[in-house]
Amino acid sequence: MGAGHAHKLYKDVRSPVHALPAHCKLAAVFCFVVLVVVTPREAVWAFGAYALLLAAVAAASRVPPRHWLTRMAIEVPFVAFAVLLPFVAEGERITVLGMSLSEPGLWGAWNVLAKGTLGVAASVLLASTTGLNALLLGLARLRMPPLLCQIATFMVRYADVISDEMRRMRTARVSRGFEARGPRHWAVLAKSAGSLFIRSYERGERVHLAMLSRGYTGTMPPALGDGPAARAQWARSAALPLAALAICVTGWAS
Amino acid sequence: MHVPDGFIDAPVSAGTGVLAAVAVAASLRGARRELGGGLGEAGERTAPLAGLVAAFIFAVQMLNFPVAAGTSGHLLGGALAAILVGPCTGVLCVSVVLLLQGVLFADGGLTALGTNITDMGVVTVLVAYGLFRALLRVLPRRRSAVTVASFVAALVSVPAAAVAFTALYALGGTSDVSLGKVVAAMVGVHVLIGVGEAVITAATVGAVVAVRPDLVYAARDRLSVRLELRPSPLASTDAGTTAPAQEPATAPTDALEGSPARELESAPAQEPAKVPAPRRSARPLWLAGLAATVVCAGGLSFYASASPDGLEKVAADNGIDEKAEDHAAEDSPLADYGVKDIANTRLSGGLAGVIGAGATLAVGSGVFVVVRRRRGADGGASAAAPQPADAPAER
């Protein structure tokens, strides 16, 4: 709990990208992803250019390539879906390597694959260069409703506590020789989930009372941040979406 | 089921984003009422407890349930959140979980966040909560009714989300897969997922109801028991009361662990119900599951299969009608989720849904039978984690 809540993706190195304020980075990544999504899929070169842009940012962030490439594995289920697409989609059939594939299906697969991969890569880069607290502060600065920010903050605070509790319960199960092998063990796991809920909720009630006794009234004290971002920082973070905008416009024009 | 970027086109993503924002804004207001106790209270309880439940949902999604050799699924948690903490808080919690999953773990695209929240947050939670409340109104006032209702609610909520996803896909999908196939794949897979989700949600809610019925928001008014004072079971052993006499060996530990709670919460009322409950709840559970599956599969595909007609018509109008070949290629009698030789597409779709549901149900009941049979051998509590809160009710 006291370990600074570093999340799994965060890579703590010093770089110009790490130094940018979180809300600038969030806005930049969001604009970038939107631009990627609206780019027509026929402009194949544009996606290559986007990938180069991201690679440049990654190089500037000094995050080891292995770190963020392995973190992109989260995308695998959709890669499987994309591979399936040419076989099930309708439209004109073309023959590639002796297999009859649907041409719109191939385009669709390319579309999902390219845009999805770029989106995941951008998100992973954001997550590996931005700490958890900075990210939450950034969301608050981007005018997310305060209550929602607080809920997210509390969730992050409690996530470690609850997963620790869950780990302890798992250890207890394992040390009694329990091993979940199939649906017949669901009942045990579900009962664990039930008592996990009760334990966490009762703990949450105690924490809430403790907070009340320390003067909590429903709003958090103003968060300690770096203050509003300087114009230079905004300009630096805008480099990525602006370059992407140029590519997107060219993609539509061609 | 986290939708990535580029799966749904930009206008529809923007539309669902607005929809999700409205839903979250409405839930922010409603959550104060759900967590704050009374109507007039300040909402200072909202953030800590909603955050806690969000973290719980997040943790439960990491709890993997083995399905068969090698594969495992995890809980989606929408129905569970709706039943345990109410619809508004449920929407908020699932939305926050999805937001942080998108930002921190790149799970689900940033532009698809609205789609994901609408689909997995709003639809799942609302369907589950509505169904749960409706069922509670119909079923008798018993604790097993809560289990049955949460089973059905969770069972239906997952395919409902799949149907909602298909609708969004029909509006703004970026790849040309025929809608019938998407419906078939999504609903087919998600009915199966729904069975797992239902079993686990029902068992989880059952475990919570057994210990702290006041924590189950959606059933709070149905399960509220008036405070009653009873003489201590230890003091009146000679009076010949049957409940303590059944287990003389465990009575002292009971007195140590749970006697204050017992006296206050009218535990004797829970106690006799607990012993026959598993046996009695089996058939209603199964029947309700059957009914829900048939309604869900038959009814939903009855309506869902109305839309491919529209798309097929458009496809025919645009001259890209290659579908005849596709149908010929698939020899299965249920190809494309329609029964061959039945002209009425709606009816055939519905029928195929029912047949599919029958097969699913056979598998599901097989699972149940196995679970039932093994439960006695496993001895539930001894295999479970040490759960001090759970233990007295479990025994």
Side-chain angles (χ1 to χ4, degrees), chain B residues 278-298:
Chain B
R279 208 157 301 154
R280 215 190 308 152
S281 67
R283 182 155 294 177
L285 190 76
W286 195 85
L287 285 178
L290 176 71
T293 318
V294 168
V295 165
C296 166

Side-chain angles (χ1 to χ4, degrees), chain B residues 86-110:
Chain B
C88 296
T89 319
V91 169
L92 277 189
C93 294
V94 178
S95 307
V96 169
V97 168
L98 288 172
L99 169 74
L100 288 189
Q101 277 174 342
V103 177
L104 290 183
F105 300 100
D107 200 0
L110 286 181

Side-chain angles (χ1 to χ4, degrees), chain B residues 7-379:
Chain B
F7 205 82
I8 302 284
D9 65 5
V12 175
S13 297
T16 52
V18 172
L19 198 66
V22 170
V24 167
S27 307
L28 279 174
R29 294 173 144 260
R32 278 167 208 258
R33 198 182 57 238
E34 284 171 3
L35 290 170
L39 269 168
E41 295 219 0
E44 38 84 7
R45 268 168 74 92
T46 312
L49 291 182
L52 180 116
V53 176
F56 170 72
I57 298 292
F58 186 70
V60 161
Q61 290 194 349
M62 292 193 293
L63 191 66
N64 276 314
F65 296 93
V67 176
T71 58
S72 65
H74 69 80
L75 210 59
L76 299 177
L80 189 61
I83 293 168
L84 286 180
V85 290
C88 296
T89 319
V91 169
L92 277 189
C93 294
V94 178
S95 307
V96 169
V97 168
L98 288 172
L99 169 74
L100 288 189
Q101 277 174 342
V103 177
L104 290 183
F105 300 100
D107 200 0
L110 286 181
T111 55
L113 193 62
T115 311
N116 280 326
I117 290 181
T118 308
D119 187 21
M120 281 189 277
V122 180
V123 171
T124 317
V125 167
L126 289 189
V127 166
Y129 187 76
L131 204 58
F132 185 83
R133 293 297 298 176
L135 279 174
L136 272 199
R137 207 157 289 168
V138 177
L139 292 170
R141 258 178 197 265
R142 250 186 279 138
R143 244 188 24 216
S144 55
V146 175
T147 315
V148 173
S150 47
F151 180 88
V152 177
L155 179 67
V156 177
S157 72
V158 178
V163 169
F165 170 80
T166 315
L168 290 178
Y169 180 85
L171 286 176
T174 51
S175 37
D176 305 330
V177 184
S178 84
L179 214 53
K181 281 180 188 166
V182 176
V183 172
M186 289 296 287
V187 175
V189 168
H190 284 89
V191 165
L192 275 180
I193 295 178
V195 171
E197 174 103 1
V199 173
I200 292 154
T201 303
T204 307
V205 172
V208 176
V209 159
V211 183
R212 293 256 334 241
D214 57 314
L215 285 190
V216 182
Y217 176 87
R220 214 174 268 175
D221 53 337
R222 306 286 297 187
L223 287 175
S224 58
V225 180
R226 271 187 302 134
L227 179 72
E228 47 184 307
L229 296 173
R230 297 185 177 214
S232 159
L234 280 183
S236 60
T237 32
D238 53 341
T241 48
T242 49
Q246 281 176 355
E247 301 142 327
T250 49
T253 53
D254 274 349
L256 278 180
E257 284 180 12
S259 78
R262 261 155 181 272
E263 282 171 35
L264 289 178
E265 284 181 15
S266 83
Q270 293 179 4
E271 203 58 28
K274 182 68 195 170
V275 183
R279 208 157 301 154
R280 215 190 308 152
S281 67
R283 182 155 294 177
L285 190 76
W286 195 85
L287 285 178
L290 176 71
T293 318
V294 168
V295 165
C296 166
L300 286 184
S301 36
F302 183 82
Y303 285 106
S305 58
S307 3
D309 290 342
L311 193 86
E312 280 168 32
K313 189 174 178 304
V314 174
D317 289 346
N318 294 341
I320 40 169
D321 197 352
E322 297 279 323
K323 223 161 276 140
E325 281 179 25
D326 278 349
H327 281 301
E330 292 169 12
D331 287 331
S332 155
L334 296 183
D336 227 343
Y337 261 49
V339 176
K340 277 184 180 175
D341 305 331
I342 295 187
N344 185 339
T345 48
R346 281 191 157 204
L347 197 63
S348 94
L351 205 57
V354 172
I355 294 174
T360 311
L361 198 79
V363 174
S365 343
V367 168
F368 262 124
V369 169
V370 172
V371 171
R372 297 215 69 74
R373 216 159 266 171
R374 299 295 168 120
R375 191 179 284 164
D378 272 358

Side-chain angles (χ1 to χ4, degrees), chain A residues 133-207:
Chain A
N133 281 335
L135 213 51
L136 290 171
L137 276 178
L139 285 174
R141 278 193 190 285
L142 289 176
R143 300 263 186 279
M144 197 165 86
L147 192 55
L148 215 53
C149 288
Q150 264 195 62
I151 294 177
T153 315
F154 277 111
M155 178 194 148
V156 165
R157 288 274 184 274
Y158 277 123
D160 288 347
V161 178
I162 294 184
S163 11
D164 276 355
E165 185 85 53
M166 205 166 76
R167 198 172 39 77
R168 278 191 292 276
M169 288 166 73
R170 196 184 146 267
T171 311
R173 281 197 304 269
V174 169
S175 64
R176 281 158 180 76
F178 174 80
E179 189 191 346
R181 271 185 302 268
R184 64 203 159 99
H185 293 124
W186 286 2
V188 175
L189 293 173
K191 270 176 201 135
S192 303
S195 54
L196 180 68
F197 177 76
I198 293 167
R199 285 189 194 187
S200 326
Y201 202 90
E202 287 176 344
R203 184 177 209 152
E205 283 171 335
R206 288 199 299 276
V207 171

